[in-house]
Amino acid sequence: MSSRSEETDGAVDDEDVEEVTTALAGRESAGLSEDSQNGGDRGQPDIGRLAEEERDRVRTTYSNGSTFKGYSSVEHEDGSVDQGDLEPRSGSPGKLSPSIDDSLSLPDDTPSVQGSILSSPGSSTFPSQARLLSGSPTPSLMPFDRRFSSRLPSSHLSSPRATSPAFLSNHSRQVSLSSQVAPEESDKDASSAPWEVVRWTKLKRISGQAFSEVTKRKFGVPTCISASASIVIGTSKGIILIFDYNQALKSIIGPGTKALESGAITSVAISADHSTVAGGHAHGDIFTWEIARAAKPFLHIPHLEPGQLQARKVDGHTPGVAIIHIGFLGTRHTAIVSADDRGMAFSHLASRGLGAVARMVKTTRILGRYPESVPTVVRPRKPSSILAFSPLPLGNAEQVTDDMGLVAMLTPFLLVIVSTTPIAQTQHKAARPKDIPAHATLSGCLAWFPSVKLKTKSASETNPVSRTKLVYCWSNILTILEVTEAEQSAPLENDRPPSLQFRARSRWKAEEAIVAVQWLGRSIIGVLTITQQLIILEDGSMRMTDAFDIMHRQIYHRDLFSKQLQTLVEQLDDEDASMHGVVADAFFGSFRAYKGRIFLLGNNDVSMGTLSNWADRLLALMEDGDFVGAIRLATSYYTGNGEKLMVGLPEDNELRHPVVESKVYEMMSASLKYALGQKKGTTSRSMDASQLQELANACIIACVSMDAMDYLFEDVFERYDEGSLGGILLEALEPYILDGQIKSIPPVVLKELVTYFTSKNLDSRLEDMICNLETSTMDIDQVTALCKDHRLYDALIYVWNQALGDYITPMINLLSLLLPPSGSKTMSNGEPSHEFRNVTNASKIFPYLAYTFTSRVYPTGETMDPEKAAKAKAEVYYVLFSGRTITWPTVGGKPFLTQQSGKDEPPYPYLQMILHFDAPSLLSALNEAFEDGFLNGATDRLVNGGSQNDISEEQVFGLAVTRQLIVSILLETMNPKQFPPEDTIYLDMFVARNLPKFPQFILLSGSAIQRVLAGLCNYPGDDIAEDCQLSVEYLLSTHHPSDLESLIPLFEKARFFRVLKFTFRTEKKYARLLQTYFDDQENLMDVFECIADCLRPGAGLTEKQQREVHSVIQSHARDLADIDAVRSAQTIETYAPALHHDILSALEGEPYTEFTYLQAILEPKSPADNTPSLSLEGRASELIERYVQLMCRYAASHVADFISHLHSASLRLEAVLPAMESSGVVDAAVVLMAREGQVRAAMDRLLAHLSTLESALLGLLRASDDSPDPDNTDEATDDILAAIQKYTQVGIWLCQGQSKAAAAAKAMQPPTITSVSGPPRHPKRSSSLKKGQADLTADETLWLDLLSSTVRTTRLASVLTSPLPNSTDDQSSAPSPTTATLTAPTALRQTVQAAFTALLQTTSSPPSSAPTHTRIRFLPILTALLTSLSTSTSASASSSSPSLAELRQVLQTIFAAYAYEEGMLRLAEGLLESDLFLSVDELRRGRERGWKARSVACEGCGRRVWGAGAGGGVWEQWEKRRREDKRASRWRNIGQGGTSLGSERRSGEGSGKGKAVVSRNTADTALEHPSSASVPEGSPTQPDNAGNANAQEGEEEDLGPLVVFACRHIFHRGCLQKLLRKDGEAPLSAELRCLVCK
């Protein structure tokens, strides 16, 4: 075989198919023994012999070169098969008759024909069964809103039975998961499968030779491996060992040559023709060897010598650098590519010659840079290496890439694909994916798969070719890249290489880093992760089919990249996602693949792994005893639902089917023999009924998939029938028949099917199966006789229709059931009586009619052929609307009579017969028929295009039936004399619904329409009232009676409110329309929309009509508010605001509804955010006052807030004050009284309320110790304390408001004239003031009264809560204080503090500009307060003598506010000063720290200016500057000297902005980096030697000091000025700018 055909590497060719089908997988190869041998005989029946016998018998032979090893133990304790195991499955009726529910025809919601719609929307059911059973005239509900459906479902998806086992979970045996067809990925567990995903073989002889102590001492330790036609191993001593597949050592390459001096073998490669091997060494040398002549190297490519490396005239690897990648290009032995661990790659092309001496090697660098002998001053290079490297191998298909020498290389940053022929040229670059996690493991690998020929259906066709693919991985991201030739618009020139297209087709993300990847086949990828998990990945779907751990294989790996890529790992940057946490070791030299086999080089051995192919897996299941699973797995391989790509099967169905089909036949035959016995009448004792049923299901699925019905009904059925177990197979056939997978059964099997199911009384299930079979293979006489005997009318109708094309005979059979029955109607012994069965089966006539009228096959629901449908409809219409009795069959038949005892037949006998039986059901079927175009009445509609003379009588009559004819016959037949109103009402509904839908086909007189409307209004029961109203709406939508006014009383009596609304709206009778909305109690919310429609602007109502509408609203005012008060107010406010008074008058007895109504008017809520807003403009004060009165009752907490937004004239105090006082809304009353000018009265009212709260609080405190419920006491105390705080704030507001008002009033008064005799007398001073209060103004008196009240309450509460002074002896027995006792004094003191704080704010406010303004004085108020406290203390001396402690406590409370505010101010001041100091100090430190230069070289001249290599001049300049700074500092300390150098330096420091600033007075002073450790400083008077370490000999140029910018670029000042002059700027510009960032 040529080298090209041998390098297909997994293509599905003849050789691979042979390997797969033989299932050898290395088992018979000499020397390649598996780790585990056969388990031997397990003591179970051996079916290998049975399989061998079947191979001669099956229609397609198939040999896999191996035999079955026998089943594992499958016998059970009870292997007998008794009749109990063959009983019907759960849910079957058993011996009972078919279910009543199954026999009845049910309505269906689906339209009867395509494109049809439901007659009307409805939700009622159609209980025709109850009407039939009871015989009563109870009407059916909404019969025209449902569609008839047969008992049989139209689709298996709606079947109540279990669906086909092909779509269910597989058999219950827990043998393996492989038994499931197309399992989900989440259900796979490779460890539980009876086969190994990869069958590993330890190459013991190779391992024994390569890893023995003698070999290690002589040849070294194995370091790398490669596999092709031979297995090549490189060692640490430069030796190459070559083994064949018999594990024999064929050759030892390298001893006695220069290869031993070149270091260890670090990479090996084998040429395309397997004759030459190449080895890369650790010292940089490359040797190639011909395996047949290994005494001396075929080619030696040495590394460069040091002189050659400096001269750079030739290319090559540098000395001492290991060659870690090597490969051959194409078929040539002299074209090699290689790469080293320093990131350099080369192509080597040797000329042809007579020997190694005569050959010349041309080496071309294709990637990487040589190391620099002298470090450059520019930015350092980014470290790199070649993580993965591979030349494109040749496939068995000619491609343009064959002569290009493509090489793929993967670095930490790029994927590079280079063509080496005729010249090195980059073809493709791809950057590392951005979705690689930051600081992930750094790893990389790649592998090519060449283009190969694919198998086709016939040998004459041109073989298609697969595309070249490259799989490459960075970290955990795997990508598939496809390579194709680009289409050219013009032919290429001879010397121009073709253009290629590269497309990243698929991407897959692993959970961890990937360290090696290999193609195991054209669509199978082996992925090795960093934790040595081997993942089998399927190309195309990118589905992980298997994953398992091979850590125990101890794969050899080396650390090749961490030293070179050290900076990418150690110099981590959290913001740089290109950094990595760790560099993975190299596995590519130990993980190789060839021809679908995996070769692993371990630390102590060499292993080979082969993927289990499909034959191996089937064989493993059979050996494990799971023959059901084996059959199902083989079936999945046949259908293509299994993992066909991974197991070695062709993708093309026509290639795969013959390979798998014969195997399925073998397994089924062998399994049936084993399970059912080898002789007739014998059964294996190891199988129970459930297992036999699973086997039957598996065989059925296989035969259905392969379309092998003959094998199923001949071989499989014969095996079961011979073992007297045919019932198992027959029951297993049922779901496949119902699903339509099996459409026909041979007559013999059908006879057995009928016999078995009838014997089990499973008639209903049998009927279902018969109706799903094709009638062409049935024995019609047998089936019809069976259906009649067992009353299977659905099956009988199906057979008559489909097999014989007869639609009249089923009608006659069903009508015969409607003849007057004999016997009782009752049930006996739980069995339906004969009469009931007749009624039940007779009801099937209605779905039969509906199906036939709408071109559907009964009972399956399939669509009929148009010609057959026309014939069926004509025959059924003929029987139904025949005016006389008919004789059927026409030849030899007799008339079918509907009357007994010789009575005369009525007109339309069969129609009347059905109408008397169930009129609603018949009309419902006709309602479906009206939707069909058959009744359009085309005159040229004839069957087969013939004339009327060519067709039968029934066809002629049926084709002439139209909708008009049907309606006329029904109106004539269903007259009130013969039919009760319970039936005629449905005729009225039928006409009313269909007349508007088909006005061009149905014509009725006005009187007839009037009678229909009147009949609908006189419905017999409320249960159909909605149906009747809906029918009236249908009819009135297109027909307008002339005398509509006479029908309105009927509509009102029938309570057809929708009809009345439509009528009044059409007639523009808006008042009656609104009255109708009020009468409709079920839709009262619609009345608001009606009012809006009637009264909105532009509605077109006249003034009279508007008054009538207003009158209706007034008469229903209370009803309107009861519906929804809020919406009523909104509607009336919008459209009729003048009616508010009438509605509120009607609501006088319902205060809460009145309050809600007023709230919606005066405080409407915004629709957007539901927040209330005021609407008070133009409102009558009576409305507002009434609203406030009601608010005091229902929303007392909102009163104060509401009245604060009112004008003083909006409320009368005498109108609302009683309500406020009665409800306790003191704060609102105070506000109103203050607004009226009654400030003193308001304060008195407030003080009285505070006194009441004080008394309540003191009472609670006194009783707190004895309270039985302390929690309730605490809650009540908290409420009172909150009220005291609230009303104290009200008092503060009152005092502050009065002070402002007094100030404004005094500003308008003339100044007071001072008398000589004394001070002026204040006009507001009261002569009745107490002692100490005589000098207080009225405003100050308000403050005094408020403070006195709060202080008094606080003092009394403190006395009650403080412990008694003489109770120290009884402290142990005293009760513990309650929560109220502890919290009350604190809360009251806070109240006092709030009052004094407000007083201080008022007294400390700036004085008014008015000259007569008298400010509120704090000290007089305090004096008066203390005086009053002393007076009150003296007055109470009888109970407790006054003490200074009480006054001190009060004063302490008063001034606590001052101390608290002072402490807070001091604390805030300290915090601000601390933060300010830290911020300023941080800015100062940052300013002194300065900027660090980005580079060590000047951006202008490139000379090193600081750091290593800057020269000694920097140190000298720094020392000199330091001495000058010390000298200047010394002069400053003794007070001598002017401006020193140090001060000049400070004055020249930069401001920290983006541009360097140079002082105009000291132009030579530069902006320098202030850190002496990072940037040296220069002086304007001294030469700066920084950066001149590499200058030429002679006088050094003085480039001045250094300039550093905020962007961190650094310049010599001289260099910067030169560059600025080139840009046309002044050299001594005041501002210097960075030229790099411009």
Side-chain angles (χ1 to χ4, degrees), residues 1271-1418:
D1271 294 336
N1272 289 337
T1273 302
D1274 294 341
E1275 184 177 356
T1277 303
D1278 293 339
D1279 294 340
I1280 294 177
L1281 290 173
I1284 291 175
Q1285 292 176 347
K1286 171 185 174 182
Y1287 289 108
T1288 302
Q1289 292 295 330
V1290 174
I1292 292 172
W1293 170 84
L1294 183 62
C1295 294
Q1296 289 179 337
Q1298 179 61 22
S1299 301
K1300 295 177 182 178
K1306 290 181 179 179
M1308 302 298 296
Q1309 295 178 0
T1312 304
I1313 302 175
T1314 305
S1315 176
V1316 178
S1317 59
R1321 301 183 63 184
H1322 198 280
K1324 285 191 177 182
R1325 298 185 192 272
S1326 176
S1327 59
S1328 61
L1329 294 176
K1330 299 179 182 179
K1331 182 180 180 181
Q1333 302 181 13
D1335 295 335
L1336 298 181
T1337 64
D1339 300 336
E1340 293 171 346
T1341 305
L1342 294 177
W1343 281 104
L1344 176 62
D1345 293 343
L1346 178 63
L1347 292 173
S1348 299
S1349 176
T1350 55
V1351 171
R1352 182 183 66 254
T1353 304
T1354 304
R1355 185 168 61 88
L1356 295 176
S1358 300
V1359 171
L1360 289 177
T1361 56
S1362 60
L1364 297 177
N1366 298 326
S1367 60
T1368 56
D1369 298 336
D1370 300 332
Q1371 287 181 356
S1372 59
S1373 60
S1376 59
T1378 61
T1379 304
T1381 305
L1382 298 176
T1383 58
T1386 304
L1388 292 174
R1389 291 191 186 99
Q1390 292 176 354
T1391 305
V1392 174
Q1393 292 176 5
F1396 271 95
T1397 301
L1399 175 61
L1400 290 173
Q1401 291 177 354
T1402 304
T1403 56
S1404 61
S1405 60
S1408 174
S1409 59
T1412 59
H1413 172 61
T1414 303
R1415 296 173 54 190
I1416 301 296
R1417 300 165 298 168
F1418 177 75

Side-chain angles (χ1 to χ4, degrees), residues 73-74 76 170-176 179 624-628 687 691 694:
S73 177
V74 293
H76 298 269
N170 293 290
H171 61 292
S172 60
R173 295 178 61 181
Q174 304 296 323
V175 179
S176 71
S179 302
D624 202 52
D626 190 6
F627 44 85
V628 175
M687 303 292 292
Q691 292 174 324
E694 289 176 0

Side-chain angles (χ1 to χ4, degrees), residues 1230 1233-1245 1294-1295 1298 1301 1339 1342:
V1230 170
M1233 296 173 71
R1235 185 179 295 175
E1236 294 292 331
Q1238 303 178 16
V1239 180
R1240 184 66 255 177
M1243 179 57 74
D1244 292 341
R1245 181 69 185 86
L1294 183 62
C1295 294
Q1298 179 61 22
D1339 300 336
L1342 294 177

Side-chain angles (χ1 to χ4, degrees), residues 301-604:
I301 305 174
H303 59 74
L304 295 179
E305 298 298 331
Q308 295 176 319
L309 186 61
Q310 293 180 0
R312 303 285 178 87
K313 293 183 179 180
V314 294
D315 286 328
H317 291 284
T318 58
V321 176
I323 310 298
I324 59 175
H325 304 285
I326 194 169
F328 288 91
L329 291 176
T331 58
R332 298 181 59 183
H333 301 170
T334 56
I336 301 173
V337 287
S338 61
D340 56 38
D341 60 359
R342 296 298 177 87
M344 299 191 69
F346 298 89
S347 67
H348 313 277
L349 181 61
S351 61
R352 300 181 181 273
L354 299 178
V357 178
R359 288 189 178 90
M360 300 294 295
V361 179
K362 180 183 178 181
T363 300
T364 304
R365 179 168 56 92
I366 59 177
L367 187 67
R369 296 181 181 181
Y370 288 103
E372 298 177 353
S373 58
V374 179
T376 59
V377 296
V378 296
R379 63 187 63 182
R381 295 178 183 173
K382 185 180 294 186
S384 182
S385 186
I386 299 179
L387 303 176
F389 177 96
S390 177
L392 174 62
L394 294 179
N396 58 8
E398 296 287 344
Q399 292 291 312
V400 296
T401 57
D402 293 347
D403 299 329
M404 298 179 65
L406 291 184
V407 181
M409 295 167 284
L410 194 73
T411 72
F413 313 101
L414 285 176
L415 167 70
V416 183
I417 300 178
V418 178
S419 60
T420 59
T421 306
I423 60 173
Q425 183 179 0
T426 300
Q427 297 290 337
H428 177 69
K429 284 184 179 181
R432 183 179 56 181
K434 295 182 179 180
D435 53 349
I436 292 179
H439 311 295
T441 300
L442 175 58
S443 64
C445 52
L446 56 81
W448 286 100
F449 190 87
S451 176
V452 295
K453 296 179 181 179
L454 303 178
K455 289 291 183 178
T456 56
K457 299 179 182 178
S458 62
S460 60
E461 298 181 10
T462 303
N463 288 344
V465 176
S466 67
R467 294 180 177 179
T468 301
K469 296 181 289 187
L470 174 69
V471 55
Y472 63 93
C473 310
W474 264 303
S475 189
N476 65 328
I477 305 296
L478 181 144
T479 307
I480 306 293
L481 186 74
E482 285 187 348
V483 184
T484 56
E485 183 180 4
E487 297 182 0
Q488 303 294 335
S489 58
L492 294 174
E493 300 177 1
N494 294 334
D495 57 345
R496 183 179 177 184
S499 178
L500 302 179
Q501 286 184 344
F502 298 85
R503 182 176 69 91
R505 172 171 52 84
S506 305
R507 177 166 290 183
W508 179 74
K509 182 180 291 187
E511 296 181 356
E512 54 190 5
I514 300 171
V515 295
V517 64
Q518 289 290 321
W519 289 94
L520 306 182
R522 187 171 59 84
S523 300
I524 308 170
I525 305 171
V527 177
L528 183 65
T529 66
I530 194 171
T531 60
Q532 300 188 27
Q533 289 279 330
L534 182 58
I535 298 173
I536 307 301
L537 195 65
E538 183 179 302
D539 185 22
S541 64
M542 302 307 291
R543 183 168 59 99
M544 185 177 67
T545 59
D546 286 292
F548 48 91
D549 188 10
I550 58 174
M551 179 72 75
H552 61 281
R553 299 286 170 185
Q554 299 182 4
I555 304 175
Y556 176 75
H557 50 89
R558 294 176 293 171
D559 182 7
L560 297 179
F561 306 111
S562 62
K563 182 178 180 181
Q564 178 70 9
L565 305 177
Q566 182 178 6
T567 55
L568 291 180
V569 178
E570 295 183 352
Q571 297 179 1
L572 293 180
D573 186 356
D574 293 335
E575 298 179 358
D576 188 359
S578 65
M579 297 297 178
H580 291 268
V582 68
V583 179
D585 287 355
F587 285 79
F588 53 79
S590 308
F591 182 80
R592 296 288 187 175
Y594 176 73
K595 284 286 187 179
R597 294 181 174 89
I598 304 172
F599 294 87
L600 296 181
L601 176 63
N603 293 326
N604 299 304

Side-chain angles (χ1 to χ4, degrees), residues 862-882:
E862 299 176 357
T863 303
M864 290 185 186
D865 179 77
E867 182 178 343
K868 184 183 294 185
K871 176 181 180 297
K873 295 173 188 177
E875 293 181 356
V876 173
Y877 281 126
Y878 167 72
V879 176
L880 184 61
F881 294 104
S882 176

Side-chain angles (χ1 to χ4, degrees), residues 1193-1215:
R1193 182 175 178 181
Y1194 297 107
S1197 60
H1198 182 57
V1199 176
D1201 181 63
F1202 176 75
I1203 65 175
S1204 64
H1205 297 88
L1206 298 178
H1207 298 291
S1208 58
S1210 300
L1211 286 178
R1212 294 174 299 167
L1213 183 61
E1214 62 276 8

